[in-house]
Amino acid sequence: MEPSLPRNSSPKAAPSWQPLAFAVVLILGVWIGLLSGGESKGTFAPGSPRSALNGVLDRVEQTYVDPVMRQELEQIALEAVLNELDPHTLFLSAQELADMAEPMEGNFEGIGVEFIIQEDTLMVVAAIPGGPAAKAGVRAGDRILEVDSVSISGPELDNRKVMELLKGPRNTKVRVGVPRGEELKHILLKRDRIPIHSVVSDFAVDSDRGYIKIVRFAQNTADEFEEAMVRLEEAGLSQVIIDLRGNGGGYLNAVVPMVESFLKKDQLVVYTEGEHVPRRTYKARRDGRWMDWDVAVLVDESSASASEIFAGAIQDQDRGVVVGRRSFGKGLVQEEFSISDLGALRLTVARFYTPTGRAIQKPYGTEVDYGDDYFMRYERGELFVEDSILQLDADSLTFRTPMGKIVKGRGGITPDVFVPLDTSGMSSFMSELSWSGVLRDAAFSFVDEHRSEWFESGVEAANPDDWRAVGWDHVMAAAKENDIEIPMLRPSERRSLEQRFASQVLRNAFGESVFHQYSVQFDEEFKNAIHWLQHTDEVVIIDGQLSLGLNNNNH
């Protein structure tokens, strides 16, 4: 079940004891110092340095002038301690753990619908194939007006309430009310395990090349990836574009077998090492099934962690070309430690290193604005000009691949082929339509209104050229209804908005795979990858850089 973005909740008034939090955090400075080796001499810590914080909180709870909530103070203290470490060490509550585990486990238990809330009504975007809702006849465009005979529509309906109503343990039952003609049909659904896919699109681009889009590295990702590769293999292909853009990573044990499938036996995939964790290497256990395939990997500034392990291994082992922009630079290994029934500590214990020895992790610390890294890249031109990356790399450690290609180790994976961020068709108008959700809602209502006309006969019959003009009018009407001013647009801006709307319409009508199949035809990174794969026999290394032969320039 994939909801739209949750609505903002109203701000809460600050508790009367909140100023005390600053005192607790201040005391933590002393406490952290004590933990690093000093001796405690204060009245709050008679036994050992570790009891200083508890001593402070005990005294506050017993003596402070105003009522306090010790649990919340402990949370503030805990966060202050973790903030002294790296950006990826954190404490997660039991609920946060459960929420984060669901997409990584590859399934959830519920009725199997994707939805949005539109005009205070629950609208079905898609019924997941094979799920209880799809089997019972619930379809895209349906409105769920009742759950267990109780009306749910209204201004108080939000994503959390929908989740509470529709998700639940496997084999439990729920009855939903869905309009059918003039009547409200009540459909009894038995909840089941619903898959959450990580490989969301795979298709043949042409007679030689295929494309695979991976959005996370979860428990089931390696199996899904193998199934996708087999489909491409059976179609007679021998080259593949693997799209990891926007993929924030996931499990190490998911990415390693995927990389193995392109390597020879005993070639290194990645290794980890930390102050208290000895070096551990991950090598290909056998010759990979697709070790002779040509590979292109797409990355961007949001590709992180396991995505960088994948791209780094392909690049370091000279197994393919990496296309796009420098990846995020998240190369820290977290281990999870349960803390009674309160949650878990995800503690960084080691770093990831690529086969040549590059540390994937980018710099962090008090002098680094880690959270604003994207905006820093934007400001210094790294997203638009390749030379800005080369300037950063000038002071980086240098490594060489087995074939002599130079790779840099300042954090993240710098692509072999740089493709600037394309903003030529961007406009403030499209940004407002997107961020406000108006474009998403307009795409849904367009499919809903024209389903029988254009979208019931299959994707082959749903040519965007047939409904481009009608779709444009629909978007403009939605903008007016939401009081968004419609400016004069340049031809490139209008074309980009038309393409964005068409891709959203196709996603609503036919799913994620069709969305990507349509979108990549306008994608410069994708076009560059195709170009390099078409000329793979002409790829050479000149002065340590991957290049095409003299008769070819970068696309």
Side-chain angles (χ1 to χ4, degrees):
M1 188 179 304
E2 297 182 3
S4 58
L5 292 175
R7 301 174 181 176
N8 293 330
S9 56
S10 56
K12 297 180 180 178
S16 62
W17 51 267
Q18 194 173 62
L20 182 62
F22 296 103
V24 173
V25 172
L26 182 62
I27 291 167
L28 278 171
V30 178
W31 181 59
I32 293 168
L34 291 171
L35 289 181
S36 65
E39 292 184 3
S40 172
K41 297 180 181 178
T43 56
F44 294 126
S48 70
R50 295 178 186 275
S51 64
L53 181 60
N54 280 331
V56 169
L57 293 175
D58 287 344
R59 184 64 67 189
V60 166
E61 192 173 32
Q62 297 164 11
T63 314
Y64 187 63
V65 61
D66 292 322
V68 298
M69 297 183 68
R70 179 172 180 134
Q71 187 175 4
E72 295 195 23
L73 289 177
E74 287 175 343
Q75 182 66 28
I76 293 168
L78 180 60
E79 290 173 1
V81 172
L82 299 183
N83 284 340
E84 293 291 316
L85 305 177
D86 65 90
H88 300 288
T89 289
L90 69 162
F91 178 82
L92 298 170
S93 68
Q95 184 58 53
E96 288 172 327
L97 279 172
D99 292 342
M100 292 178 70
E102 191 173 85
M104 300 310 295
E105 288 174 356
N107 63 76
F108 67 94
E109 293 181 349
I111 66 170
V113 294
E114 297 176 16
F115 68 89
I116 63 171
I117 296 172
Q118 194 174 62
E119 297 178 354
D120 299 329
T121 301
L122 174 59
M123 319 281 279
V124 177
V125 174
I128 297 173
K135 290 178 180 177
V138 176
R139 56 181 182 261
D142 277 342
R143 284 89 168 143
I144 297 180
L145 303 182
E146 290 185 0
V147 175
D148 288 333
S149 300
V150 177
S151 175
I152 63 170
S153 297
E156 72 284 354
L157 185 66
D158 57 20
N159 291 327
R160 182 171 293 277
K161 183 174 181 181
V162 173
M163 296 290 196
E164 291 172 352
L165 290 169
L166 299 184
K167 289 176 68 175
R170 189 180 187 186
N171 293 325
T172 57
K173 296 179 181 179
V174 61
R175 190 182 301 274
V176 298
V178 178
R180 286 285 188 268
E182 299 294 323
E183 300 179 355
L184 186 66
K185 183 178 180 180
H186 291 91
I187 303 173
L188 184 64
L189 303 174
K190 182 188 288 187
R191 296 182 178 98
D192 204 348
R193 187 168 289 118
I194 310 299
I196 301 176
H197 294 292
S198 303
V199 176
V200 296
S201 184
D202 64 272
F203 56 87
V205 177
D206 52 36
S207 59
D208 298 312
R209 284 161 284 277
Y211 169 91
I212 298 177
K213 174 68 176 179
I214 306 167
V215 298
R216 70 182 68 84
F217 289 89
Q219 253 180 22
N220 55 352
T221 307
D223 291 338
E224 290 182 14
F225 179 73
E226 182 177 7
E227 291 167 3
M229 285 294 299
V230 168
R231 285 191 289 271
L232 299 183
E233 184 180 54
E234 291 175 345
L237 310 184
S238 59
Q239 297 182 330
V240 63
I241 298 169
I242 298 169
D243 191 347
L244 301 179
R245 291 173 297 177
N247 184 327
Y251 293 146
L252 177 63
N253 62 5
V255 67
V256 169
M258 294 166 65
V259 176
E260 280 182 313
S261 66
F262 296 106
L263 301 183
K264 295 179 181 179
K265 183 179 179 180
D266 291 331
Q267 281 189 304
L268 184 61
V269 175
V270 67
Y271 70 90
T272 62
E273 193 169 15
E275 180 68 23
H276 305 288
V277 177
R279 176 168 172 164
R280 181 174 180 183
T281 60
Y282 297 83
K283 295 182 178 182
R285 295 161 293 178
R286 61 188 69 86
D287 284 348
R289 179 170 177 173
W290 299 289
M291 67 178 187
D292 295 324
W293 279 47
D294 298 319
V295 183
V297 183
L298 306 185
V299 298
D300 64 9
E301 51 282 346
S302 297
S303 304
S305 186
S307 292
E308 295 172 295
I309 292 172
F310 191 106
I314 294 296
Q315 188 178 61
D316 281 14
Q317 297 292 7
D318 296 308
R319 276 296 292 115
V321 59
V322 178
V323 179
R325 294 178 294 281
R326 184 168 66 93
S327 63
F328 181 84
K330 196 276 185 184
L332 299 177
V333 184
Q334 280 75 49
E335 189 170 341
E336 194 169 288
F337 300 91
S338 295
I339 309 296
S340 63
D341 58 348
L342 301 176
L345 172 65
R346 285 194 175 169
L347 182 66
T348 296
V349 297
R351 285 180 169 84
F352 289 118
Y353 295 88
T354 69
T356 59
R358 288 184 289 166
I360 293 173
Q361 179 62 41
K362 64 186 176 185
Y364 60 86
T366 55
E367 298 180 0
V368 177
D369 196 345
Y370 197 84
D372 281 341
D373 180 67
Y374 177 83
F375 298 101
M376 295 296 291
R377 296 188 191 204
Y378 187 94
E379 288 292 325
R380 64 175 173 251
E382 183 182 331
L383 303 179
F384 308 102
V385 182
E386 185 174 14
D387 285 348
S388 64
I389 302 179
L390 299 178
Q391 290 171 10
L392 288 172
D393 283 343
D395 297 327
S396 303
L397 295 175
T398 297
F399 303 83
R400 284 190 180 269
T401 69
M403 293 180 64
K405 181 173 61 182
I406 294 175
V407 290
K408 296 288 188 172
R410 81 170 307 273
I413 303 300
T414 299
D416 301 302
V417 180
F418 174 76
V419 181
L421 182 66
D422 184 9
T423 59
S424 60
M426 291 297 295
S427 64
S428 58
F429 179 54
M430 184 162 71
S431 296
E432 188 171 1
L433 288 173
S434 298
W435 287 108
S436 65
V438 171
L439 191 66
R440 175 205 62 197
D441 291 349
F444 176 83
S445 59
F446 184 79
V447 173
D448 199 38
E449 292 172 17
H450 299 280
R451 194 177 302 278
S452 61
E453 187 176 357
W454 284 308
F455 305 113
E456 283 189 345
S457 299
V459 65
E460 293 79 10
N463 187 344
D465 290 337
D466 294 339
W467 38 266
R468 191 178 308 280
V470 179
W472 181 259
D473 292 341
H474 191 86
V475 174
M476 295 304 103
K480 289 178 182 178
E481 288 173 11
N482 288 273
D483 298 321
I484 296 176
E485 184 178 350
I486 302 174
M488 290 292 294
L489 296 175
R490 300 194 307 269
S492 62
E493 293 173 337
R494 172 166 177 158
R495 186 165 54 252
S496 182
L497 180 53
E498 288 176 335
Q499 292 166 359
R500 177 80 64 90
F501 178 68
S503 66
Q504 296 261 15
V505 166
L506 293 172
R507 170 185 268 157
N508 286 333
F510 304 109
E512 196 78 8
S513 188
V514 173
F515 163 79
H516 289 287
Q517 194 164 355
Y518 173 78
S519 299
V520 293
Q521 63 183 304
F522 312 110
D523 186 330
E524 289 303 315
E525 288 97 324
F526 177 81
K527 292 176 183 177
N528 269 270
I530 290 291
H531 181 72
W532 278 75
L533 289 176
Q534 286 174 334
H535 300 92
T536 187
D537 291 339
E538 301 170 46
V539 174
V540 294
I541 296 173
I542 301 175
D543 295 330
Q545 303 300 313
L546 205 64
S547 180
L548 290 177
L550 296 177
N551 295 327
N552 250 298
N553 294 314
N554 292 5
H555 183 67

